[in-house]
Amino acid sequence: MGGRLALDAGGVLAAVVLLVALAFALMSLRRWLFVRGGGAVECSLRVIAEGGVPGPWRLGIGRYKGDVLHWHRVFGFRRRPRQVIHRRGLVVSNRRRPEGEEAEGLLPEANVIEVRDGDLTVELAMGSAALTGFLAWLEAAPPGFPVDLYPSD
């Protein structure tokens, strides 16, 4: 009976390891599919709630699709974006370097920008090259697209 129990525990352990490996492979395939099409950058995002209270940073991939930036979590299975940021009417209200403990959870050499899209306020943390691309995407908005970079209050 002891041998049968050990065989069952080994089978369960093997199934768990197989499921974890399959989940990792699916997340890696999902990430590869996002990145292979171009227009994708690694960036972390956190939502700023009403009252200015920031949520936790989440690692993700931003993907430019026309006049919107789709943001997807790195560790997830959804094909639909978690956040959609529209270029029309977008306001970049602040740019800064990460501070203290905040810097430990972000990509190295990250810059943080605060972005307002209507009622949605988020902070995006990305490397210098990705930030340059993001600002170029904003400035390349077609005529009639109000975009405000670092407005004076």
Side-chain angles (χ1 to χ4, degrees):
M1 180 153 175
R4 182 176 172 100
L5 183 59
L7 180 62
D8 290 343
V12 169
L13 181 60
V16 168
V17 168
L18 183 63
L19 285 175
V20 168
L22 181 62
F24 180 77
L26 286 174
M27 283 190 286
S28 296
L29 176 64
R30 176 180 166 266
R31 177 185 167 98
W32 178 79
L33 289 172
F34 284 142
V35 173
R36 82 175 165 98
V41 295
E42 287 186 1
C43 69
S44 296
L45 177 141
R46 72 176 174 182
V47 175
I48 307 296
E50 288 186 34
V53 178
W57 283 106
R58 307 238 187 253
L59 182 61
I61 299 170
R63 185 157 188 218
Y64 300 104
K65 287 205 160 204
D67 293 322
V68 295
L69 174 68
H70 289 173
W71 184 84
H72 303 267
R73 290 180 68 172
V74 166
F75 302 108
F77 296 104
R78 289 177 53 163
R79 289 190 39 87
R80 292 182 25 190
R82 293 280 180 161
Q83 293 289 337
V84 177
I85 299 170
H86 300 269
R87 182 163 54 179
R88 180 183 293 272
L90 193 70
V91 176
V92 177
S93 56
N94 189 18
R95 179 179 175 177
R96 63 181 177 82
R97 301 287 295 166
E99 302 163 353
E101 291 180 17
E102 176 184 48
E104 294 174 13
L106 298 175
L107 297 169
E109 302 299 318
N111 294 286
V112 177
I113 57 172
E114 185 176 301
V115 176
R116 291 191 314 247
D117 177 12
D119 292 337
L120 175 68
T121 302
V122 298
E123 284 186 321
L124 297 170
M126 56 185 79
S128 296
L131 179 59
T132 300
F134 179 79
L135 296 175
W137 173 73
L138 288 178
E139 291 172 355
F145 265 59
V147 174
D148 202 354
L149 298 175
Y150 312 114
S152 55
D153 290 324

